[in-house]
Each structure stands twice: as structure tokens, then as C-alpha cells.
Amino acid sequence: MHTGRQERVITGNRQPSSAFADAFVAEDDALLWARQRAREAGLRAVSPATGAALRMLAATVGAKSVAEIGTGTGVSGIHLLGGMRPDGVLTTVDPEPERQQFARTALRAAGFASNRARFIPGRALDVLPRLADSGYDLVFCDGDRTESLDYLAESLRLLRPGGLVVFEGVFADGRTVDSGPQPVEVLRLRELLRTVRESAELVPSVLPVGDGLLCAVKRPLAAG
């Protein structure tokens, strides 16, 4: 079992490998434009390596229907759609309609037809209960970290058996494994990690890309 000190070394000594991972998959003009809009808005878009991982994960599950919590300016949406089936639809939720307008422009510039994405403005926990049970292949959570456990509960309802839930930013810049006093959002992330790791309903892993990507597959139903 790793000690807290060992974990801090692992998560704090990632610069050379993370730089290589970010440079491994080149991003096109549409993604670069969306990243610039995020910087101007003071938002933290997913890293290139995280985006590449999202694209790969969407392709791995053959995603036709994906729900995204936190549209941002469309960086993650472009990557998700890039890995989804050609007839797949991304449903993306964000409390800021202005951000979603940037994302619409970015997705269009990336070559995706307007019917490939459904933009829903609003608070995630108000919108998610309206989405269909077992109707999604992948749920990507990049919203309010203090609501992470609520997102997990909604994701388990939304996902089909064999579907995948993904949480961005679970390292919290190394604070998740830091022994010092932490803000509420970091404490919630720790609860999320513990809950996912201990769930008999999920097969989890943490990918050390960007600021940490927590992934978990919803186990298929047992044959009765």
C-alpha cells in the first residue's frame, strides 16, 4: 500500500511525462480557438492529454450518447465528439449560456453538424434528473467539485450497464493527497474517490493525465 508521501511524489513529479502526453496528439485550429476563449474567460479547459484520453474513452465504449457536465468553451466537447460514433449526440449542460455559444462556434469550426450536440443551459443538478435512465454510454463530469457525489449518483442512473463515468480534476493540483487542511471541494473529491473505489457497482481507475481523470465502468447486470 502506498504511503501519503509516496503518492505526493507520484503526483508531484509528472512534468516531463505530462508534457510529452500533451504534445503526443496535435490539436487543430478549432481546439486552439476554444482554448483561447477559455483562457480569456478565466476557465481551465481540459489538457490536451486529457482531451485525447476522453476521445479514446468515447471510442472504446462506442459512445452514441454522451452527457457532459460543464460545457466550458467546447474543448472537451470536441474531443468527446471526435471519439463518438458518427451518429452520436453529445448532451452538454452548463449554467453559463455565453460559454455554450462559444462551444457551439467551436464545434461547428471542428466540422460537427449542429444536430450532433444538444446544449442545455442550467445548473447540472436541476437538468440531470430530466435526462433518461440508462440512456447514456458515457457521462463526463467537469462541474462544481462540491457536487461530485451528486453527479456520481445521477451518472449511475443515466448510464447503461457497461457505460463509463469520468471525473476531471481529481488531483486538485496535488491537494487531494496533501495532508494539510483543505477546502470543501477537495474533501468532496476525497469522498468521491473513496466511494468510487469501494463501490461494488463500478470498475474504477485513475488516469494520471492533466489534473487527474477518475474513470469507472458501470458493471453489467448479473445474469439472473
Side-chain angles (χ1 to χ4, degrees):
M1 181 175 180
H2 292 303
T3 67
R5 181 178 177 279
Q6 287 172 319
E7 288 177 345
R8 281 196 293 277
V9 170
I10 291 168
T11 59
N13 189 26
R14 294 167 49 248
Q15 291 184 356
S17 58
S18 63
F20 179 84
D22 280 339
F24 182 69
V25 178
E27 295 192 327
D28 60 18
D29 289 343
L31 276 164
L32 296 175
W33 183 88
R35 285 194 181 283
Q36 182 60 31
R37 300 292 81 74
R39 281 191 292 271
E40 292 169 355
L43 300 176
R44 183 171 177 169
V46 299
S47 73
T50 300
L54 291 175
R55 188 178 297 236
M56 182 268 294
L57 291 169
T60 299
V61 297
K64 182 177 180 180
S65 187
V66 172
E68 177 184 45
I69 300 170
T71 307
T73 56
V75 175
S76 53
I78 290 174
H79 280 293
L80 287 165
L81 281 166
M84 292 169 64
R85 289 169 40 171
D87 58 345
V89 175
L90 172 70
T91 297
T92 182
V93 181
D94 198 287
E96 300 293 338
E98 183 179 353
R99 297 175 189 171
Q100 293 191 320
Q101 284 302 115
F102 285 132
R104 285 180 193 273
T105 301
L107 265 59
R108 187 164 57 246
F112 297 108
S114 60
N115 64 356
R116 294 290 310 280
R118 178 170 61 144
F119 294 88
I120 305 178
R123 181 172 170 265
L125 294 180
D126 293 332
V127 174
L128 296 178
R130 307 202 303 263
L131 303 183
D133 291 7
S134 304
Y136 293 84
D137 304 298
L138 188 154
V139 179
F140 175 55
C141 304
D142 190 16
D144 185 343
R145 289 172 176 171
T146 66
E147 298 178 341
S148 295
L149 286 170
D150 296 310
Y151 296 161
L152 176 63
E154 286 294 332
S155 297
L156 291 176
R157 179 184 63 79
L158 293 173
L159 285 172
R160 63 166 173 80
L164 181 65
V165 61
V166 181
F167 285 86
E168 156 65 5
V170 296
F171 290 162
D173 294 318
R175 293 177 296 167
T176 304
V177 295
D178 195 307
S179 59
Q182 297 298 337
V184 171
E185 67 174 38
V186 175
L187 300 180
R188 293 291 177 271
L189 284 175
R190 289 175 178 171
E191 291 181 53
L192 171 71
L193 287 159
R194 183 167 54 250
T195 300
V196 169
R197 183 178 60 202
E198 295 175 356
S199 173
E201 194 174 356
L202 296 169
V203 181
S205 181
V206 173
L207 303 185
V209 295
D211 197 25
L213 208 59
L214 172 64
C215 310
V217 175
K218 182 179 178 182
R219 290 184 185 273
L221 299 174

